[in-house]
Amino acid sequence: MPIRNVTLYFTEFSGRFDKYYDDGFKWDSERGYKTLTLLKSKQLYFVRHTESQYQVIRDAKEWSEVRHMEQLQDPSLTTVGVMQAAGVGHDMAQEHIRPDLIVSSPLTRCLQTAALAFPDVFLSNREDCTLQMCSLLPEKVDSYGDCERRIATVIEEKPELYLFEHTMSQSCYQKKNQDDKLDQIYSPRWELATDDKNEFPFPSESKESARKRVALFWRWLAERPEQVIAVVTHSKLVKKHYQICMLGNSVEEFHNGDCIHVVFDAYGFSN
């Protein structure tokens, strides 16, 4: 599918994300403007993972049944999804997009999409591209399909993903696991989650939690030194319908394998 442009207005950014920063950071401030300047200097591409086994089963059964199926935790891509991801790679190559950072949600479907979309990195171990997993990027948790596994377990099942080992970001914006009981599916989400035990056998995630992750991710991204960045993530963080709106209010659809190039507009900032 063709890469499309989406404009992000930072007045909207400020209104949506400022309240989630514990250190007093404001986008409409001198400090915020410096962060904006860093982001504007980068070429940013957001890619949705391609078709997963979970999506196929979810569409064929009742949602109330599928969301509790523990065997669907962190599913892989389907055969169709593999072909779609290769198509993403073709589109990127046609546009001569050569990222120096690929940052992915730690969920298997995103890691596979990244590996298939950028084969030059994974087949030749291209040294001028950094790989990073980010625990701010996973899907909003509504089912077992949204819960990650240990990267060692994923690599044992999918050895072609070995380059992702030891790549989880350790930035100040991401918290570390302090509870061995949750280690298998641990994410910063759990510390921010609303525990609805009537709905789920573990804490499900509120919209506020997901918005905070997105707010922190933008600052994390601004501080990265790389200039051409591919971000592989999920639909609920992006689509307007889910009200998290990582890329603003204009993205109505974010289909499997969609790629969005972000353009920034700082109109209305006091700086």
Side-chain angles (χ1 to χ4, degrees):
M1 296 182 67
I3 297 168
R4 70 184 196 266
N5 290 335
V6 166
T7 301
L8 262 178
Y9 297 93
F10 271 80
T11 47
E12 181 183 48
F13 234 51
S14 179
R16 177 173 294 115
F17 297 137
D18 280 357
K19 68 179 181 179
Y20 297 110
Y21 300 123
D22 297 332
D23 60 356
F25 178 90
K26 302 289 185 184
W27 284 101
D28 194 0
S29 67
E30 181 178 356
R31 187 180 174 196
Y33 189 74
K34 289 178 180 178
T35 305
L36 162 62
T37 302
L38 290 172
L39 284 172
K40 287 183 68 176
S41 71
K42 303 177 189 295
Q43 297 180 50
L44 302 177
Y45 300 89
F46 285 75
V47 178
R48 183 188 174 181
H49 66 80
T50 53
E51 184 186 81
S52 72
Q53 295 170 0
Y54 169 73
Q55 289 175 289
V56 173
I57 295 173
R58 178 198 63 194
D59 292 345
K61 294 179 178 288
E62 291 293 327
W63 167 240
S64 58
E65 175 187 358
V66 174
R67 72 189 301 249
H68 290 93
M69 294 173 68
E70 190 169 357
Q71 65 268 34
L72 290 179
Q73 180 182 343
D74 191 21
S76 303
L77 297 182
T78 63
T79 301
V80 170
V82 169
M83 292 188 292
Q84 289 173 336
V88 174
H90 177 268
D91 293 342
M92 291 283 196
Q94 287 288 100
E95 297 294 330
H96 305 290
I97 298 167
R98 187 178 170 88
D100 50 9
L101 171 65
I102 300 170
V103 54
S104 175
S105 156
L107 290 169
T108 299
R109 54 192 182 270
C110 286
L111 301 178
Q112 284 184 282
T113 299
L116 291 162
F118 301 100
D120 61 322
V121 175
F122 286 84
L123 295 179
S124 64
N125 197 7
R126 180 159 63 88
E127 294 184 357
D128 62 345
C129 182
T130 299
L131 295 178
Q132 192 90 88
M133 292 190 298
C134 181
S135 59
L136 300 173
L137 281 178
E139 185 64 290
K140 178 183 177 294
V141 179
D142 285 321
S143 73
Y144 271 109
D146 302 325
C147 299
E148 63 266 36
R149 298 173 291 167
R150 292 176 182 271
I151 187 60
T153 303
V154 174
I155 292 172
E156 183 176 354
E157 180 184 298
K158 306 285 183 187
E160 66 273 17
L161 300 177
Y162 75 98
L163 289 178
F164 277 114
E165 191 172 17
H166 309 304
T167 66
M168 180 62 77
S169 172
Q170 300 297 317
S171 80
C172 64
Y173 298 114
Q174 297 172 89
K175 301 177 183 179
K176 295 182 180 179
N177 182 20
Q178 299 296 320
D179 187 346
D180 290 337
K181 295 179 181 178
L182 292 179
D183 188 54
Q184 183 179 1
I185 54 174
Y186 179 78
S187 162
R189 290 174 285 166
W190 307 132
E191 297 183 13
L192 305 169
T194 300
D195 188 359
D196 187 349
K197 294 182 179 178
N198 293 321
E199 286 292 323
F200 233 24
F202 49 78
S204 57
E205 187 180 25
S206 68
K207 290 178 184 176
E208 288 298 295
S209 167
R211 288 190 191 111
K212 181 165 185 175
R213 289 197 282 117
V214 166
L216 293 171
F217 178 72
W218 278 113
R219 290 180 63 188
W220 179 89
L221 203 59
E223 293 175 12
R224 294 294 308 189
E226 297 87 358
Q227 292 300 298
V228 182
I229 301 174
V231 180
V232 186
T233 187
H234 304 265
S235 63
K236 290 176 192 168
L237 298 187
V238 173
K239 288 173 65 174
K240 180 180 178 180
H241 172 76
Y242 295 103
Q243 301 175 10
I244 298 165
C245 301
M246 173 186 265
L247 304 182
N249 285 320
S250 66
V251 183
E252 299 284 353
E253 297 295 339
F254 193 43
H255 298 292
N256 292 335
D258 274 2
C259 181
I260 292 175
H261 174 230
V262 173
V263 179
F264 296 105
D265 189 325
Y267 178 76
F269 260 56
S270 60
N271 290 276

